Amino acid sequence: MNNRHEKKELILVGVFSQPLGLKGEIKINIYTSSFESFKKIGKFFLEDDELEINFKALRNSGDKIYGFVKGYNDRSDVSKLKGKKIFAFRENFSKIKKNEYYAIDLIKCTVMDMKKTIIGVVYNVKNFGAGDLLEVIDRNKKISYIPIDNDNIVDIDINNKKIIINPI
C-alpha cells in the first residue's frame, strides 16, 4: 500500500500535546465535535510523513483526551509526537444528516446578507460555551461572530461556498 496521500484528501482532526506519565500516554487536542466522533474516524495519519498511526487506547477525562499510540512505548518515544498534527481521510468521517455540516465545510464560505451584500468570509467556527459561532472576517480584517442558529442563518450552500444570514 502506498502511504503517500494528497493533502486535499486529509482533514486536520487533532494535534498531539504533552506526554503523560512514563508509559507512553499522550494528551491529544481534538478538533472534532466530540470524543466519540474522534474515536469513530478510526484511521489517522501524521502530518509530516503521512504514515498511518493507530491508537492502542483512547480515553476521555473531563474535557481532555489521552491516548496510547502503537509503536510508542514510553515517555521518550511519545515525546517525539508532541506538536504533530493528526489527520484523517474525509471519507472516514461519520455521515451527517441534512442541514448538518462539518466546521471544515463552512470555513472559506462567503457570508452575505439577504440583499446579497457580502459581510465577509468564514475564517473559523468557534464555541465559547453558548453554541457554535461563525467567525467571519470582512475585507478590513474586522472579526464578527454570527450564531449558527435558525434565527441568524437563512441558507447554507456548501457546494457554492455561500452562507446567507439575517442577523438579529
Side-chain angles (χ1 to χ4, degrees), residues 87-100:
F87 290 88
F89 281 125
R90 168 84 183 221
E91 65 197 36
N92 293 340
F93 286 24
S94 300
K95 300 290 181 236
I96 54 178
K97 298 175 190 148
K98 188 177 180 182
N99 295 327
E100 288 184 340

Side-chain angles (χ1 to χ4, degrees), residues 63-140:
D63 62 346
K64 300 189 178 14
I65 308 299
Y66 299 96
F68 288 96
V69 182
K70 287 183 183 172
Y72 294 82
N73 300 315
D74 58 32
R75 186 179 184 93
S76 175
D77 282 349
V78 84
S79 292
K80 298 171 190 164
L81 293 173
K82 183 181 175 191
K84 292 201 183 272
K85 293 177 181 168
I86 305 165
F87 290 88
F89 281 125
R90 168 84 183 221
E91 65 197 36
N92 293 340
F93 286 24
S94 300
K95 300 290 181 236
I96 54 178
K97 298 175 190 148
K98 188 177 180 182
N99 295 327
E100 288 184 340
Y101 308 94
Y102 285 114
I104 192 75
D105 294 331
L106 301 175
I107 294 171
K108 296 186 181 170
C109 281
T110 300
V111 178
M112 55 187 74
D113 65 16
M114 301 281 287
K115 296 175 184 168
K116 305 282 190 226
T117 304
I118 294 176
I119 308 298
V121 175
V122 177
Y123 177 74
N124 206 344
V125 177
K126 299 274 188 170
N127 189 321
F128 300 108
D132 291 331
L133 304 167
L134 295 176
E135 182 177 15
V136 179
I137 297 182
D138 68 15
R139 67 184 125 163
N140 298 319

Side-chain angles (χ1 to χ4, degrees), residues 23-82:
K23 296 180 180 178
E25 192 170 26
I26 190 166
K27 181 179 175 191
I28 304 163
N29 296 322
I30 62 170
Y31 300 140
T32 58
S33 60
S34 68
F35 174 61
E36 288 73 26
S37 62
F38 184 82
K39 280 193 332 186
K40 282 181 187 175
I41 292 170
K43 274 187 145 181
F44 301 94
F45 299 87
L46 281 181
E47 66 175 310
D48 53 359
D49 55 14
E50 295 180 12
L51 288 174
E52 186 175 346
I53 56 170
N54 294 295
F55 290 99
K56 293 186 271 190
L58 285 168
R59 70 181 176 95
N60 188 3
S61 177
D63 62 346
K64 300 189 178 14
I65 308 299
Y66 299 96
F68 288 96
V69 182
K70 287 183 183 172
Y72 294 82
N73 300 315
D74 58 32
R75 186 179 184 93
S76 175
D77 282 349
V78 84
S79 292
K80 298 171 190 164
L81 293 173
K82 183 181 175 191

